[in-house]
Amino acid sequence: MKREMFMKYTRTTVAAASAAITILALTGCDAVSTGSPSGDASGDCERSSTKEIYFDYPLTSLSVYGDLQRFAEAAADERGYEVKYTADDNDLQKQNTNVQALVTQQVPAIVSYPLEPTSMESLAAEARDNCTVFVSYAAPIENQDASILFSGLESGKALGQAALDWAAEQDEPVKVLILQDRDLAVGAERDDGLNEVFPGDAANIEIVATQKASDREAGEQVTREVLQANPDLNMVLSYNDDSGLGARQAFINAGVDPKDPSVFIGGQDGSKEGLEAVAEGGIYRTSVAVRIKDIGEAVANVPIDILEGVENDGVDVPPIALTIDSDELAEYLSDYS
Protein backbone atom coordinates (compact mmCIF):
# COMPACT_ATOMS: atom_id res chain seq x y z
CA MET A 1 0.00 0.00 0.00
CA LYS A 2 1.40 3.39 -0.96
CA ARG A 3 2.27 5.81 1.74
CA GLU A 4 -0.13 8.36 0.32
CA MET A 5 -2.94 6.04 1.34
CA PHE A 6 -1.84 6.22 4.93
CA MET A 7 -1.36 9.92 5.07
CA LYS A 8 -4.02 12.49 5.72
CA TYR A 9 -2.46 15.69 4.56
CA THR A 10 -4.86 18.56 4.32
CA ARG A 11 -3.35 21.15 2.07
CA THR A 12 -5.44 23.36 -0.13
CA THR A 13 -4.70 26.66 -1.71
CA VAL A 14 -6.57 29.52 -0.16
CA ALA A 15 -9.18 30.90 -2.48
CA ALA A 16 -8.78 34.58 -3.14
CA ALA A 17 -12.29 35.44 -2.00
CA SER A 18 -11.83 33.76 1.35
CA ALA A 19 -8.20 34.53 1.93
CA ALA A 20 -7.63 35.08 5.61
CA ILE A 21 -4.09 36.23 5.31
CA THR A 22 -3.08 39.46 3.70
CA ILE A 23 0.64 39.90 3.50
CA LEU A 24 1.90 43.39 2.88
CA ALA A 25 5.48 43.78 1.90
CA LEU A 26 7.28 46.07 4.28
CA THR A 27 10.90 46.85 4.78
CA GLY A 28 12.28 43.81 6.63
CA CYS A 29 8.87 42.57 7.83
CA ASP A 30 5.34 41.65 6.80
CA ALA A 31 2.05 42.78 8.29
CA VAL A 32 -0.71 40.23 8.85
CA SER A 33 -4.38 41.14 8.68
CA THR A 34 -7.08 40.41 11.26
CA GLY A 35 -8.45 36.92 10.91
CA SER A 36 -5.20 35.32 9.92
CA PRO A 37 -4.37 31.95 11.53
CA SER A 38 -1.74 33.78 13.57
CA GLY A 39 -2.42 37.37 14.39
CA ASP A 40 -3.39 39.59 17.26
CA ALA A 41 -6.90 40.82 17.85
CA SER A 42 -6.16 44.13 16.18
CA GLY A 43 -4.66 42.50 13.15
CA ASP A 44 -1.75 44.90 13.24
CA CYS A 45 1.07 42.64 14.43
CA GLU A 46 4.08 42.36 12.22
CA ARG A 47 5.82 39.15 11.29
CA SER A 48 9.50 38.81 10.65
CA SER A 49 10.25 38.05 7.04
CA THR A 50 13.26 35.94 8.03
CA LYS A 51 12.88 32.52 6.46
CA GLU A 52 13.40 30.48 9.61
CA ILE A 53 11.45 27.66 11.25
CA TYR A 54 12.18 26.79 14.87
CA PHE A 55 11.77 23.13 15.84
CA ASP A 56 11.35 22.72 19.58
CA TYR A 57 11.94 18.97 20.11
CA PRO A 58 12.83 18.08 23.70
CA LEU A 59 13.65 14.37 23.32
CA THR A 60 16.86 14.77 21.39
CA SER A 61 18.35 11.54 22.72
CA LEU A 62 15.83 9.46 20.73
CA SER A 63 17.24 7.77 17.67
CA VAL A 64 14.54 9.23 15.40
CA TYR A 65 15.63 12.79 16.13
CA GLY A 66 18.51 12.87 13.67
CA ASP A 67 16.32 11.63 10.84
CA LEU A 68 13.55 14.10 11.70
CA GLN A 69 16.15 16.86 11.42
CA ARG A 70 17.43 15.54 8.11
CA PHE A 71 14.02 15.35 6.47
CA ALA A 72 12.89 18.67 7.88
CA GLU A 73 16.02 20.47 6.74
CA ALA A 74 15.81 19.01 3.23
CA ALA A 75 12.17 20.06 2.86
CA ALA A 76 12.88 23.53 4.24
CA ASP A 77 15.90 23.99 1.99
CA GLU A 78 13.80 23.24 -1.07
CA ARG A 79 11.59 26.16 -0.17
CA GLY A 80 14.38 28.53 0.80
CA TYR A 81 14.00 28.23 4.58
CA GLU A 82 16.30 27.24 7.41
CA VAL A 83 15.39 25.04 10.39
CA LYS A 84 16.74 26.04 13.79
CA TYR A 85 16.43 24.20 17.10
CA THR A 86 15.99 24.63 20.82
CA ALA A 87 17.97 22.66 23.43
CA ASP A 88 15.43 21.52 26.03
CA ASP A 89 17.22 18.44 27.38
CA ASN A 90 13.90 16.74 28.19
CA ASP A 91 13.31 19.41 30.84
CA LEU A 92 9.87 21.03 31.03
CA GLN A 93 11.09 24.23 32.64
CA LYS A 94 13.90 24.58 30.12
CA GLN A 95 11.48 23.96 27.26
CA ASN A 96 9.10 26.65 28.45
CA THR A 97 12.00 29.09 28.91
CA ASN A 98 13.30 28.40 25.41
CA VAL A 99 9.89 28.76 23.79
CA GLN A 100 9.26 31.96 25.75
CA ALA A 101 12.51 33.36 24.32
CA LEU A 102 11.35 32.53 20.78
CA VAL A 103 7.97 34.13 21.44
CA THR A 104 9.66 37.28 22.71
CA GLN A 105 11.85 37.39 19.61
CA GLN A 106 8.72 37.09 17.42
CA VAL A 107 10.31 34.44 15.23
CA PRO A 108 8.29 33.54 12.10
CA ALA A 109 7.23 30.03 13.16
CA ILE A 110 7.58 27.52 15.98
CA VAL A 111 6.94 23.77 15.79
CA SER A 112 6.85 22.50 19.37
CA TYR A 113 6.62 19.03 20.88
CA PRO A 114 5.20 20.00 24.29
CA LEU A 115 6.35 17.85 27.18
CA GLU A 116 3.21 19.05 28.96
CA PRO A 117 0.60 20.29 26.48
CA THR A 118 -1.37 22.38 28.99
CA SER A 119 1.76 24.30 29.97
CA MET A 120 2.28 25.32 26.35
CA GLU A 121 -1.16 26.90 25.85
CA SER A 122 -0.36 30.39 27.14
CA LEU A 123 2.95 30.51 25.28
CA ALA A 124 1.28 29.42 22.06
CA ALA A 125 -1.43 32.04 22.48
CA GLU A 126 1.20 34.72 23.07
CA ALA A 127 3.13 33.55 20.03
CA ARG A 128 0.09 33.79 17.79
CA ASP A 129 -0.73 37.22 19.18
CA ASN A 130 2.76 38.17 17.98
CA CYS A 131 1.97 36.79 14.50
CA THR A 132 4.23 33.80 15.06
CA VAL A 133 2.86 30.64 13.46
CA PHE A 134 2.56 27.95 16.12
CA VAL A 135 2.38 24.29 15.14
CA SER A 136 1.94 21.66 17.84
CA TYR A 137 3.81 18.37 17.40
CA ALA A 138 2.57 15.00 18.73
CA ALA A 139 -0.21 16.48 20.86
CA PRO A 140 -2.84 18.99 19.71
CA ILE A 141 -3.42 22.09 21.81
CA GLU A 142 -6.11 24.75 21.71
CA ASN A 143 -3.85 27.63 20.71
CA GLN A 144 -2.32 26.29 17.54
CA ASP A 145 -2.41 27.06 13.84
CA ALA A 146 -1.97 23.41 12.91
CA SER A 147 -0.69 20.14 14.32
CA ILE A 148 1.59 17.32 13.29
CA LEU A 149 0.11 14.16 14.74
CA PHE A 150 0.72 10.43 14.77
CA SER A 151 -1.90 8.71 16.86
CA GLY A 152 -0.41 7.29 20.02
CA LEU A 153 -3.65 5.51 20.84
CA GLU A 154 -3.75 3.66 17.53
CA SER A 155 -0.04 2.89 17.78
CA GLY A 156 -0.53 1.23 21.17
CA LYS A 157 -3.49 -0.73 19.87
CA ALA A 158 -1.49 -1.95 16.89
CA LEU A 159 1.34 -3.17 19.13
CA GLY A 160 -1.12 -4.90 21.43
CA GLN A 161 -2.82 -6.66 18.54
CA ALA A 162 0.49 -7.80 17.05
CA ALA A 163 1.46 -9.21 20.44
CA LEU A 164 -1.89 -10.99 20.80
CA ASP A 165 -1.54 -12.53 17.34
CA TRP A 166 1.89 -13.91 18.23
CA ALA A 167 0.78 -15.12 21.66
CA ALA A 168 -2.14 -17.01 20.13
CA GLU A 169 0.34 -19.21 18.27
CA GLN A 170 2.34 -20.14 21.39
CA ASP A 171 1.92 -23.40 23.24
CA GLU A 172 3.77 -22.16 26.34
CA PRO A 173 2.64 -19.39 28.75
CA VAL A 174 3.55 -15.85 27.69
CA LYS A 175 5.15 -13.76 30.46
CA VAL A 176 5.11 -10.06 29.66
CA LEU A 177 7.05 -6.94 30.63
CA ILE A 178 5.49 -3.63 29.56
CA LEU A 179 7.81 -0.62 29.23
CA GLN A 180 5.92 2.67 29.26
CA ASP A 181 6.43 6.40 29.72
CA ARG A 182 3.20 7.99 30.85
CA ASP A 183 5.00 11.23 31.69
CA LEU A 184 4.71 12.13 28.02
CA ALA A 185 1.33 12.75 26.42
CA VAL A 186 2.11 10.50 23.47
CA GLY A 187 3.52 7.88 25.86
CA ALA A 188 0.32 7.89 27.88
CA GLU A 189 -1.74 7.58 24.68
CA ARG A 190 0.34 4.63 23.50
CA ASP A 191 -0.04 2.94 26.88
CA ASP A 192 -3.79 3.56 26.86
CA GLY A 193 -4.07 2.06 23.39
CA LEU A 194 -2.05 -0.98 24.40
CA ASN A 195 -4.17 -1.53 27.49
CA GLU A 196 -7.37 -1.28 25.46
CA VAL A 197 -6.57 -4.44 23.54
CA PHE A 198 -3.91 -6.26 25.54
CA PRO A 199 -4.06 -8.85 27.02
CA GLY A 200 -7.79 -8.98 26.35
CA ASP A 201 -9.20 -12.36 27.28
CA ALA A 202 -6.10 -14.31 26.29
CA ALA A 203 -5.73 -17.15 28.79
CA ASN A 204 -2.03 -17.83 28.24
CA ILE A 205 -0.74 -14.27 28.95
CA GLU A 206 0.54 -12.99 32.28
CA ILE A 207 1.85 -9.43 32.71
CA VAL A 208 4.62 -9.85 35.26
CA ALA A 209 5.79 -6.21 35.37
CA THR A 210 5.00 -2.73 34.05
CA GLN A 211 7.74 -0.15 34.43
CA LYS A 212 8.83 3.18 33.01
CA ALA A 213 11.65 3.11 30.47
CA SER A 214 12.04 5.89 27.93
CA ASP A 215 15.44 5.21 26.38
CA ARG A 216 17.73 2.34 25.47
CA GLU A 217 19.70 2.35 28.70
CA ALA A 218 16.57 2.24 30.84
CA GLY A 219 15.00 -0.42 28.63
CA GLU A 220 18.06 -2.65 29.03
CA GLN A 221 18.34 -2.09 32.78
CA VAL A 222 14.68 -2.69 33.55
CA THR A 223 14.53 -5.79 31.36
CA ARG A 224 17.69 -7.21 32.90
CA GLU A 225 16.22 -6.83 36.39
CA VAL A 226 12.86 -8.31 35.40
CA LEU A 227 14.61 -11.21 33.63
CA GLN A 228 16.55 -11.97 36.81
CA ALA A 229 13.32 -12.17 38.79
CA ASN A 230 11.42 -13.93 36.00
CA PRO A 231 13.78 -16.13 33.94
CA ASP A 232 10.81 -17.33 31.88
CA LEU A 233 9.99 -13.79 30.67
CA ASN A 234 9.42 -14.07 26.93
CA MET A 235 7.63 -10.89 25.82
CA VAL A 236 8.45 -7.17 26.11
CA LEU A 237 6.14 -4.47 24.77
CA SER A 238 7.79 -1.08 24.66
CA TYR A 239 6.40 2.40 24.19
CA ASN A 240 9.23 3.24 21.76
CA ASP A 241 11.94 1.50 19.76
CA ASP A 242 14.77 2.85 21.87
CA SER A 243 13.72 1.12 25.08
CA GLY A 244 12.59 -1.93 23.09
CA LEU A 245 16.06 -2.29 21.60
CA GLY A 246 17.48 -1.97 25.09
CA ALA A 247 15.24 -4.87 26.11
CA ARG A 248 16.51 -6.87 23.15
CA GLN A 249 20.09 -6.31 24.28
CA ALA A 250 19.21 -7.46 27.80
CA PHE A 251 17.90 -10.77 26.43
CA ILE A 252 21.05 -11.24 24.33
CA ASN A 253 23.26 -10.41 27.31
CA ALA A 254 21.35 -13.02 29.30
CA GLY A 255 22.34 -15.65 26.73
CA VAL A 256 19.16 -15.73 24.66
CA ASP A 257 19.65 -16.48 20.98
CA PRO A 258 18.80 -13.30 18.97
CA LYS A 259 16.56 -15.50 16.81
CA ASP A 260 14.94 -17.50 19.64
CA PRO A 261 11.45 -18.32 18.33
CA SER A 262 9.96 -18.25 21.84
CA VAL A 263 10.67 -14.54 22.50
CA PHE A 264 8.71 -11.53 21.27
CA ILE A 265 9.86 -7.93 21.63
CA GLY A 266 7.91 -5.09 20.08
CA GLY A 267 8.44 -1.35 20.02
CA GLN A 268 7.01 1.81 18.49
CA ASP A 269 8.26 4.71 16.34
CA GLY A 270 9.70 3.05 13.23
CA SER A 271 13.24 4.27 13.90
CA LYS A 272 15.99 3.11 11.56
CA GLU A 273 17.46 0.73 14.13
CA GLY A 274 14.03 -0.53 15.11
CA LEU A 275 13.13 -1.39 11.52
CA GLU A 276 16.55 -2.94 10.89
CA ALA A 277 16.07 -5.15 13.95
CA VAL A 278 12.67 -6.25 12.61
CA ALA A 279 14.21 -6.98 9.21
CA GLU A 280 16.74 -9.32 10.84
CA GLY A 281 13.90 -11.71 11.60
CA GLY A 282 14.85 -12.28 15.22
CA ILE A 283 13.31 -11.64 18.60
CA TYR A 284 12.58 -7.96 17.79
CA ARG A 285 9.47 -8.87 15.87
CA THR A 286 7.45 -5.68 15.49
CA SER A 287 7.91 -1.95 15.28
CA VAL A 288 4.71 0.06 15.05
CA ALA A 289 5.98 2.68 12.67
CA VAL A 290 4.98 6.14 11.63
CA ARG A 291 6.63 7.40 8.46
CA ILE A 292 9.49 9.51 9.84
CA LYS A 293 10.05 11.04 6.40
CA ASP A 294 6.46 12.29 6.28
CA ILE A 295 6.67 13.73 9.78
CA GLY A 296 10.05 15.37 9.20
CA GLU A 297 8.91 16.99 5.97
CA ALA A 298 5.74 18.19 7.68
CA VAL A 299 7.85 19.95 10.32
CA ALA A 300 8.98 22.25 7.52
CA ASN A 301 6.08 22.27 5.08
CA VAL A 302 3.20 22.88 7.49
CA PRO A 303 4.51 26.16 8.99
CA ILE A 304 5.95 27.31 5.67
CA ASP A 305 2.59 26.82 3.96
CA ILE A 306 0.90 28.92 6.63
CA LEU A 307 3.58 31.60 6.45
CA GLU A 308 3.09 31.77 2.70
CA GLY A 309 -0.68 32.00 2.93
CA VAL A 310 -1.51 28.44 1.97
CA GLU A 311 -4.11 26.85 4.21
CA ASN A 312 -2.69 23.84 6.00
CA ASP A 313 -4.31 22.21 9.02
CA GLY A 314 -1.38 19.85 9.48
CA VAL A 315 -0.91 16.15 9.07
CA ASP A 316 -1.98 13.00 10.86
CA VAL A 317 0.46 10.23 9.99
CA PRO A 318 -1.09 6.86 10.85
CA PRO A 319 0.95 4.12 12.55
CA ILE A 320 1.31 0.66 11.08
CA ALA A 321 2.66 -2.49 12.73
CA LEU A 322 5.59 -3.69 10.64
CA THR A 323 6.93 -7.22 10.84
CA ILE A 324 9.43 -9.08 8.71
CA ASP A 325 6.50 -10.21 6.54
CA SER A 326 5.13 -6.70 5.93
CA ASP A 327 5.24 -5.51 2.34
CA GLU A 328 5.82 -1.95 3.58
CA LEU A 329 8.94 -2.77 5.63
CA ALA A 330 11.38 -2.28 2.75
CA GLU A 331 9.66 0.95 1.73
CA TYR A 332 9.92 2.41 5.22
CA LEU A 333 13.55 1.32 5.52
CA SER A 334 14.35 2.97 2.18
CA ASP A 335 13.70 6.36 3.77
CA TYR A 336 16.90 5.91 5.72
CA SER A 337 19.13 4.91 2.82
Side-chain angles (χ1 to χ4, degrees):
M1 187 178 294
K2 302 295 185 183
R3 67 184 177 90
E4 288 82 5
M5 297 180 67
F6 296 120
M7 193 173 181
K8 175 186 176 186
Y9 191 170
T10 305
R11 181 180 178 181
T12 57
T13 302
V14 176
S18 62
I21 301 174
T22 302
I23 301 177
L24 304 175
L26 300 176
T27 304
C29 61
D30 298 331
V32 179
S33 68
T34 300
S36 65
S38 294
D40 65 1
S42 68
D44 294 330
C45 62
E46 295 182 348
R47 173 180 294 151
S48 169
S49 60
T50 305
K51 292 195 170 184
E52 295 175 342
I53 303 299
Y54 283 80
F55 188 20
D56 171 51
Y57 188 95
L59 309 179
T60 53
S61 63
L62 294 183
S63 57
V64 296
Y65 181 55
D67 291 299
L68 285 172
Q69 288 180 296
R70 179 164 60 90
F71 292 126
E73 290 172 5
D77 186 63
E78 285 185 5
R79 302 181 68 171
Y81 284 76
E82 182 180 3
V83 182
K84 294 189 174 182
Y85 305 93
T86 57
D88 301 333
D89 301 325
N90 197 14
D91 183 299
L92 177 60
Q93 183 174 356
K94 189 176 289 187
Q95 179 179 47
N96 289 344
T97 299
N98 288 336
V99 174
Q100 179 64 71
L102 297 178
V103 172
T104 302
Q105 295 170 36
Q106 295 184 259
V107 301
I110 301 169
V111 179
S112 178
Y113 180 175
L115 286 169
E116 173 49 59
T118 56
S119 73
M120 193 59 67
E121 291 287 5
S122 61
L123 289 172
E126 185 180 351
R128 300 180 74 213
D129 284 346
N130 287 344
C131 282
T132 293
V133 170
F134 196 96
V135 177
S136 187
Y137 179 101
I141 62 175
E142 182 178 348
N143 293 293
Q144 64 178 31
D145 291 290
S147 55
I148 298 169
L149 303 177
F150 36 94
S151 175
L153 191 70
E154 295 305 318
S155 180
K157 288 181 180 178
L159 178 59
Q161 189 57 56
L164 286 175
D165 292 344
W166 183 85
E169 299 175 352
Q170 306 308 305
D171 295 327
E172 300 297 324
V174 177
K175 303 292 184 69
V176 186
L177 164 64
I178 294 177
L179 301 176
Q180 47 85 359
D181 185 357
R182 296 192 63 88
D183 291 344
L184 294 174
V186 69
E189 285 186 356
R190 287 178 175 181
D191 195 44
D192 289 342
L194 176 65
N195 292 330
E196 278 193 25
V197 301
F198 187 88
D201 56 1
N204 64 331
I205 294 176
E206 178 187 357
I207 299 175
V208 300
T210 298
Q211 294 195 35
K212 178 183 176 181
S214 56
D215 58 29
R216 185 171 303 205
E217 181 179 4
E220 182 176 347
Q221 177 182 342
V222 170
T223 304
R224 180 177 66 247
E225 294 171 353
V226 174
L227 265 173
Q228 289 171 348
N230 302 272
D232 55 350
L233 181 75
N234 58 351
M235 176 179 281
V236 180
L237 305 180
S238 173
Y239 111 93
N240 67 9
D241 279 330
D242 290 74
S243 51
L245 290 169
R248 174 179 179 270
Q249 189 60 50
F251 272 87
I252 294 172
N253 292 345
V256 174
D257 186 327
K259 293 187 180 296
D260 188 325
S262 67
V263 176
F264 179 107
I265 301 174
Q268 301 174 74
D269 275 344
S271 71
K272 177 183 179 181
E273 289 176 288
L275 296 181
E276 288 176 340
V278 172
E280 290 177 6
I283 61 177
Y284 202 84
R285 301 185 183 279
T286 298
S287 175
V288 181
V290 288
R291 200 76 183 262
I292 301 300
K293 180 175 184 293
D294 290 343
I295 297 175
E297 291 177 348
V299 167
N301 286 326
V302 172
I304 291 173
D305 275 354
I306 298 171
L307 286 170
E308 295 186 349
V310 178
E311 185 177 343
N312 192 328
D313 296 328
V315 301
D316 190 350
V317 182
I320 177 173
L322 296 179
T323 70
I324 192 171
D325 296 322
S326 300
D327 294 337
E328 299 90 347
L329 179 59
E331 184 182 6
Y332 277 56
L333 270 170
S334 69
D335 287 345
Y336 299 107
S337 61

